Amino acid sequence: MKRLTLLRHAKSDWDDPVARDFDRPLNRRGEKAALLMGQFAAKRKMQFDLLVASPAVRVVQTLETFFEGYGETLDARWDRRIYLASSPTLFDVVRDLPDSADSVLMAGHNPGLEELILDLVPDDGISSLREDVEVKFPTASIAVMDLAIDRWSEARDNIATLASFTRPRDLDPALGPGTR
């Protein structure tokens, strides 16, 4: 059994006049959400053997703030393939993970992360968590999936169970849509 936890970067600052999308930083609301999600992960005693992440500025800043709330830091394995990746590319990243890591945290972007969840978790018509992800995988959200595999190279469609899906607004309604 392998566990894959996906963390979408927190809210970025569209008012910051950066030359490249890759360089866009977090806004204040994003920082608050990333800190809260780190505290949530610590409270839930989430453990990670490996962190693989997009090197985009908003992901780097999300992780810095997330780990501030989490109370410890993991060294990231930065993987440029995750930046704005589609689900097939993210599958390649997952299949390349070392088998020595049983619990991996992957941090990146939408729509790829949402698509990856929807590809990994079968649509059984019962899972309200999957339906929630299908509606939207908001910024700074965390999805935890258990994959019934022994090696990451075995990852494929419909192999996972969505163990949990938590949005910042689930923990603090002030971080919901339409708020600043």
Side-chain angles (χ1 to χ4, degrees):
M1 183 73 75
K2 300 290 187 189
R3 175 163 273 195
L4 179 62
T5 301
L6 301 182
L7 170 64
R8 183 176 173 200
H9 69 78
K11 197 90 154 138
S12 57
D13 190 353
W14 285 88
D15 295 332
D16 191 309
V18 294
R20 300 181 315 159
D21 174 74
F22 187 88
D23 298 322
R24 189 172 324 111
L26 296 185
N27 66 19
R28 201 172 304 141
R29 182 172 156 208
E31 291 170 357
K32 183 178 178 185
L35 182 68
L36 181 66
M37 297 310 281
Q39 293 166 341
F40 168 78
K43 185 185 274 188
R44 283 285 179 97
K45 297 184 179 4
M46 292 184 182
Q47 297 292 314
F48 312 107
D49 301 324
L50 178 70
L51 164 62
V52 60
S54 162
V57 169
R58 59 191 176 273
V59 175
V60 172
Q61 290 179 343
T62 296
L63 289 167
E64 288 170 352
T65 309
F66 174 87
F67 286 126
E68 184 181 322
Y70 186 69
E72 63 181 88
T73 303
L74 284 174
D75 289 329
R77 190 166 107 185
W78 304 108
D79 192 326
R80 182 77 185 216
R81 294 178 295 172
I82 298 172
Y83 176 66
L84 302 181
S86 64
S87 180
T89 301
L90 292 174
F91 260 105
D92 289 342
V93 173
V94 169
R95 289 183 187 117
D96 288 345
L97 294 170
D99 291 330
S100 59
D102 289 325
S103 184
V104 173
L105 174 62
M106 179 187 289
H109 312 264
N110 251 10
L113 291 181
E114 181 177 315
E115 293 169 356
L116 181 63
I117 296 166
L118 298 177
D119 287 344
L120 282 168
V121 178
D123 185 1
D124 58 9
I126 302 169
S127 173
S128 62
L129 288 179
R130 188 186 187 282
E131 289 176 10
D132 289 346
V133 170
E134 202 167 347
V135 170
K136 187 172 185 183
F137 188 58
T139 53
S141 293
I142 295 176
V144 180
M145 293 173 289
D146 291 323
L147 286 69
I149 56 176
D150 294 319
R151 290 180 300 282
W152 289 108
S153 61
E154 299 169 347
R156 63 184 187 284
D157 286 354
N158 301 317
I159 194 100
T161 301
L162 186 56
S164 68
F165 170 49
T166 309
R167 302 164 290 210
R169 72 173 180 226
D170 297 332
L171 307 174
D172 181 351
L175 294 171
T179 61
R180 289 201 159 258

